[in-house]
Amino acid sequence: MAQLLRGSMWIGRCFGIRVGIHPSWLLVFALAVWMLSESFGDLGAMYALSVSVITALALFGSVVVHEFAHALIARRFGVATLSVRLFLFGGVATIAAEPPTPGAEAAIAVAGPLCSAALAGLCALALEAMRHLGGEPHLALVLMALAAANAFLAAFNLLPAFPMDGGRIFRAAVWRLRGDRAAATRLSSLTGMAFALALGLLGMELAWQTHDWEPLWYVALGGFVSIATIQSYQDARCTRCERVPGGSGDAPQRKPAA
Ligand SMILES: [Zn+2]
């Protein structure tokens, strides 16, 4: 993963963890602002743009909160997080080492989706309160977007495709059952590749049937998941490596063979 995100810009630190933006994120941020501004079109161009930018920042803020949920639970298990970054397909927390036990792996993985589900629930509660008490309809639109985005974030990440959260929970379960992390990594990586392939084929099929370019997004996402699966598999197999935070990035540096 870290290799894919080289060239990130660091914008600050939170809880001692570097927060960064990969240039590819600017593309998806602009796309989100453009799509949101259509929903707020009746507000007038400048006001619609301002509300869209704030809403898009809140949406991606939710992604950062999701990643920090992973990072802070990892810290409880003695695993440091090197960075949290936003990029084209969402966010990623780069941890300094593999979790020490299957229980730690599962707890770290489930923390993100649980946090996103809680945020979605809070937004839904606020919407319900607005429905009874009355309120600004555009604020309701913002809350609906946040609720939907966080619910999607929780559900999508729970798909059993390593290295996504669901895939890590699956790896933890296999690791616990078989007592063999390497075998669990192999099996969960296979499910990750199968998911990536299915996503790519689904995108191509939808694009073919609808004659629309939008489903090709799934093809790109499938391609990314397959690369992330291969790299995470290689990282997990790297038993003789040390990680070097800072400098050229978080990529594991293999020690020369003895
Ligand atoms: Zn996650």
Side-chain angles (χ1 to χ4, degrees), residues 4-25:
L4 284 176
L5 300 179
R6 282 193 177 148
S8 297
M9 299 170 280
W10 302 109
I11 58 172
R13 279 182 183 270
C14 189
F15 295 105
I17 298 166
R18 286 193 303 176
V19 180
I21 290 169
H22 188 263
S24 63
W25 174 77

Side-chain angles (χ1 to χ4, degrees), residues 113-252:
L114 273 182
C115 180
S116 297
L119 285 176
L122 282 176
C123 291
L125 275 177
L127 263 175
E128 195 56 29
M130 274 186 69
R131 202 163 289 152
H132 290 292
L133 303 172
E136 165 63 34
H138 294 100
L139 178 59
L141 269 179
V142 173
L143 286 171
M144 271 162 55
L146 281 171
N150 277 288
F152 176 79
L153 205 55
F156 186 76
N157 275 286
L158 282 173
L159 290 171
F162 184 78
M164 286 161 53
D165 299 333
R168 291 190 177 276
I169 294 166
F170 176 62
R171 180 172 81 151
V174 177
W175 181 5
R176 169 69 60 84
L177 285 171
R178 297 186 56 173
D180 183 345
R181 188 172 72 186
T185 303
R186 277 195 298 277
L187 187 58
S188 54
S189 296
L190 280 175
T191 63
M193 289 302 288
F195 172 78
L197 187 64
L199 200 60
L201 290 174
L202 175 72
M204 281 192 267
E205 174 67 18
L206 286 174
W208 178 261
Q209 287 192 356
T210 60
H211 302 288
D212 196 357
W213 62 271
E214 278 185 28
L216 293 178
W217 181 256
Y218 295 111
V219 180
L221 186 57
F224 166 74
V225 172
S226 66
I227 294 168
T229 300
I230 292 166
Q231 290 200 346
S232 298
Y233 175 63
Q234 288 172 340
D235 285 357
R237 282 180 61 203
C238 178
T239 53
R240 292 171 58 79
C241 56
E242 57 186 359
R243 296 194 181 254
V244 183
S248 60
D250 306 323

Side-chain angles (χ1 to χ4, degrees), residues 24-43:
S24 63
W25 174 77
L26 297 173
L27 183 68
V28 74
F29 179 73
L31 193 64
V33 170
W34 175 58
M35 290 171 75
L36 285 164
S37 62
E38 292 193 341
S39 305
F40 298 119
D42 58 320
L43 290 173

